[in-house]
Amino acid sequence: MFGYVKPFVPELKVRENELYKAVYCGLCKSMGRGTRWFSRLSLSYDAVFLAFVLASLHGYAFEVYPGRCGLNPLRKKPVAKDCEILRYSAAVSAHLTYYSVLDKISDERGIKRLSAKISLPLCRKMKRAAEKIAELDGAYTEECLRRLHEIEAEKSPGLDRAASCFGDMLGRYFELGAPDDKKKSAAMIGNYTGRFIYAADACDDLEKDEKKDAYNPLRYGGTDVSERLHAAYGAMCIWADRAASELQLEGGLGDASSVADNIMRLGMIDIAKKVASEHTEGKGNGK
Amino acid sequence: MARDPYEVLGVSRGATDEEIKKAYRALAKRYHPDSFTDPSQRARAEETMKEINAAYESIQKDKSGSSSGSGSSSGYSYQGPRNGGVGIYATIRQYINSSMPDEAEQLLNTVNPADRGAEWHYLRACVCVLRGWYYDAHTAASTACSLDPGNEEYRQLLDMLERDVNRADGTYRTAQTSDCDICSICQTLACLNCLCSSFCR
């Protein structure tokens, strides 16, 4: 995915920040074990977020031990111990990487398309390994992506239809990893997060898509660009707030839920502010 | 019928008054209905709050034998469109007020694009709010307001959306402004120290 879902570090407690880094490392190791070494290259903030939400819903506290990382084998760092949640998040990350590579092959041109094509066989292996580890609903993901492509081909204005397709897709992954009595809440959190990610990506790519004359839901519609970005910012804030409130209602009280809360209430808003203002500022400088 | 009150508060049976109070405060802060803007989440928070209050009260009663009055919860409802209006819009309003966005949208789509006035955009905004489509809701509501600036109903919906956004990014904004610059404190202290050491020898 795209890395728009990360914590707002200045407001994290020191021990929460340590935990975040430990889970990041733990997830990377879990990916190496479960979905082949090359899947570690696709490690993203989004998968770490998934791990925190699931831990919060399961009421699970990550166990941390001092471990070593291949990138810097001399220093020991805190690493979260492998567990069901990390294995599941790793599988989801690998699964989604495969689909995003497929997406790149159909959307991009030139060097990016070529590199996506080269990595496709590896990604296919990753996807198969992921499906062995966890029960994932590949058919549903394909269905959502197909709907998304249809909407994009129609060039329909308005962000929500496309964003909610993406949200449905992500919601399904959250749902499948959640405990039985909290599946609905997990789906809702995933859904709002997915909408958020799609919207953030649309805002971020707006300038690029205008230059390339590619589809972007924010390019069309009657009002002017700054108004559309303002509406998108508002929508992103409300989605983040709804997701955070849902976890507040259903999640546990431990550090995992404080980290997830920080990501949604501060980290996501921070990103929303950045992506929604960047475009207008860039325009101002250009003139 | 109800869950064990100690289980609700997440404390053991042997917990001290202090522990119980602490657990109660933490839960009450977490589930306070005022921190939820979505009506359904708010209703659920109210339910949980009631359960927590009842558990706390019953433990207190167990311990001291005295009872205390129960707190009343404030009502909250999403301000949907008023019923009424003419022709097709009256039916659409009814669909929206009974939370049937699909039916409402179907009817909205039957309106000839040339006849789509402020009310049409307003009702479309209401449908979008029901679905959680806050981007389209915002653009449709502002279109309705610009077409008919004097209408209070349209203005209210736009204000409601803006208010939700302000609430959502309020925490972030306070986090941004309250992060007191440590360097400026150090500078001030250093200056004060110089002044003091030169004057108060």
Side-chain angles (χ1 to χ4, degrees):
Chain A
M1 288 183 283
F2 314 96
Y4 291 115
V5 182
K6 51 188 180 189
F8 184 66
V9 180
E11 287 287 317
L12 276 181
K13 283 182 186 152
V14 173
R15 71 162 194 273
E16 289 165 355
N17 195 15
E18 291 286 301
L19 179 68
Y20 187 83
K21 287 192 223 155
V23 171
Y24 192 85
C25 292
L27 184 63
C28 185
K29 282 183 187 287
S30 181
M31 288 168 102
R33 266 189 298 267
T35 53
R36 313 280 183 109
W37 64 268
F38 37 81
S39 71
R40 295 173 81 162
L41 300 172
S42 70
L43 176 65
S44 70
Y45 292 119
D46 316 71
V48 185
F49 174 66
L50 171 66
F52 275 101
V53 170
L54 292 182
S56 174
L57 290 175
H58 280 277
Y60 175 80
F62 289 108
E63 274 176 62
V64 177
Y65 69 95
R68 286 181 205 279
C69 172
L71 291 178
N72 185 359
L74 298 176
R75 244 184 80 210
K76 280 199 169 183
K77 290 204 291 186
V79 180
K81 210 168 141 192
D82 201 21
C83 62
E84 196 58 46
I85 289 170
L86 286 182
R87 281 193 289 273
Y88 181 78
S89 307
V92 169
S93 170
H95 210 236
L96 283 170
T97 304
Y98 168 75
Y99 286 108
S100 87
V101 164
L102 277 191
D103 203 49
K104 270 197 192 120
I105 291 176
S106 72
D107 285 359
E108 301 277 355
R109 275 182 210 100
I111 191 87
K112 277 189 183 163
R113 181 157 185 259
L114 191 70
S115 60
K117 272 202 157 169
I118 292 169
S119 64
L120 188 63
L122 290 180
C123 291
R124 200 172 283 135
K125 277 185 190 161
M126 258 159 69
K127 180 189 172 235
R128 270 191 228 123
E131 280 169 353
K132 263 181 216 157
I133 297 171
E135 272 189 40
L136 297 169
D137 194 348
Y140 188 73
T141 307
E142 277 161 33
E143 154 76 18
C144 289
L145 288 175
R146 194 185 50 72
R147 259 170 36 212
L148 193 60
H149 275 286
E150 268 174 26
I151 293 170
E152 289 182 352
E154 269 173 36
K155 293 198 190 293
S156 73
L159 185 61
D160 290 298
R161 239 167 27 107
S164 56
C165 267
F166 196 80
D168 288 343
M169 182 189 91
L170 205 61
R172 184 85 181 129
Y173 286 102
F174 277 62
E175 186 186 345
L176 289 173
D180 286 335
D181 56 329
K182 290 178 180 164
K183 292 221 179 282
K184 221 174 128 191
S185 299
M188 198 190 261
I189 295 169
N191 194 320
Y192 285 136
T193 308
R195 292 183 197 201
F196 173 90
I197 292 172
Y198 189 87
D201 196 45
C203 290
D204 210 12
D205 289 348
L206 185 54
E207 211 157 332
K208 203 178 79 196
D209 287 339
E210 265 171 358
K211 270 185 205 144
K212 288 200 302 187
D213 196 29
Y215 170 77
N216 187 312
L218 296 171
R219 279 187 65 196
Y220 316 98
T223 47
D224 71 46
V225 180
S226 62
E227 193 122 314
R228 271 177 262 150
L229 280 170
H230 177 68
Y233 172 72
M236 284 190 276
C237 285
I238 297 179
W239 289 328
D241 177 67
R242 295 280 191 272
S245 300
E246 193 60 34
L247 194 73
Q248 195 177 339
L249 281 171
E250 299 293 337
L253 282 166
D255 281 351
S257 37
S258 335
V259 174
D261 192 72
N262 171 295
I263 294 175
M264 291 183 280
R265 286 199 198 278
L266 300 168
M268 278 158 80
I269 307 264
D270 189 43
I271 291 290
K273 191 150 269 175
K274 276 182 191 145
V275 292
S277 62
E278 240 166 39
H279 184 77
T280 42
E281 275 166 20
K283 278 240 149 143
N285 293 340
K287 269 179 192 170
Chain B
M1 46 148 215
R3 278 205 297 160
D4 176 35
Y6 289 91
E7 201 180 297
V8 173
L9 294 190
V11 292
S12 68
R13 286 194 170 273
T16 61
D17 283 355
E18 204 52 40
E19 282 168 342
I20 292 167
K21 207 177 255 174
K22 210 173 150 194
Y24 171 72
R25 286 218 184 106
L27 288 169
K29 197 174 157 201
R30 187 185 173 94
Y31 292 103
H32 197 287
D34 280 355
S35 53
F36 297 90
T37 47
D38 181 78
S40 76
Q41 285 176 342
R42 197 185 169 99
R44 276 158 59 205
E46 272 170 12
E47 283 304 306
T48 316
M49 212 44 221
K50 272 185 207 153
E51 197 182 14
I52 293 163
N53 281 332
Y56 184 64
E57 272 167 28
S58 93
I59 292 176
Q60 296 295 84
K61 231 201 278 183
D62 265 5
K63 294 222 161 178
S64 64
S66 70
S67 73
S68 55
S70 67
S72 68
S73 55
S74 59
Y76 174 89
S77 66
Y78 161 63
Q79 192 113 43
R82 284 188 284 273
N83 280 327
V86 281
I88 192 167
Y89 291 136
T91 330
I92 296 172
R93 276 166 193 268
Q94 274 169 12
Y95 279 135
I96 292 170
N97 281 326
S98 11
S99 299
M100 292 156 81
D102 295 336
E103 289 79 356
E105 175 150 57
Q106 259 177 16
L107 273 187
L108 277 174
N109 286 338
T110 61
V111 176
N112 184 355
D115 302 336
R116 293 175 182 178
E119 189 174 14
W120 187 89
H121 287 283
Y122 165 72
L123 290 174
R124 185 167 143 65
C126 293
V127 169
C128 291
V129 168
L130 279 182
R131 290 194 169 139
W133 290 15
Y134 299 110
Y135 172 83
D136 285 358
H138 196 285
T139 41
S142 37
T143 313
C145 282
S146 63
L147 288 174
D148 185 357
N151 189 306
E152 205 156 291
E153 196 180 20
Y154 309 163
R155 173 61 50 189
Q156 261 177 15
L157 178 70
L158 193 60
D159 284 350
M160 186 205 82
L161 285 166
E162 290 287 351
R163 217 169 33 237
D164 274 8
V165 175
N166 281 335
R167 271 180 89 129
D169 74 356
T171 340
Y172 172 73
R173 273 184 283 121
T174 45
Q176 282 284 296
T177 49
S178 74
D179 79 351
C180 188
D181 195 351
I182 195 80
C183 289
S184 72
I185 299 177
C186 288
Q187 259 174 15
T188 321
L189 280 176
C191 287
L192 278 175
N193 194 22
C194 288
L195 284 172
C196 286
S197 51
S198 51
F199 286 121
C200 319
R201 264 193 243 236

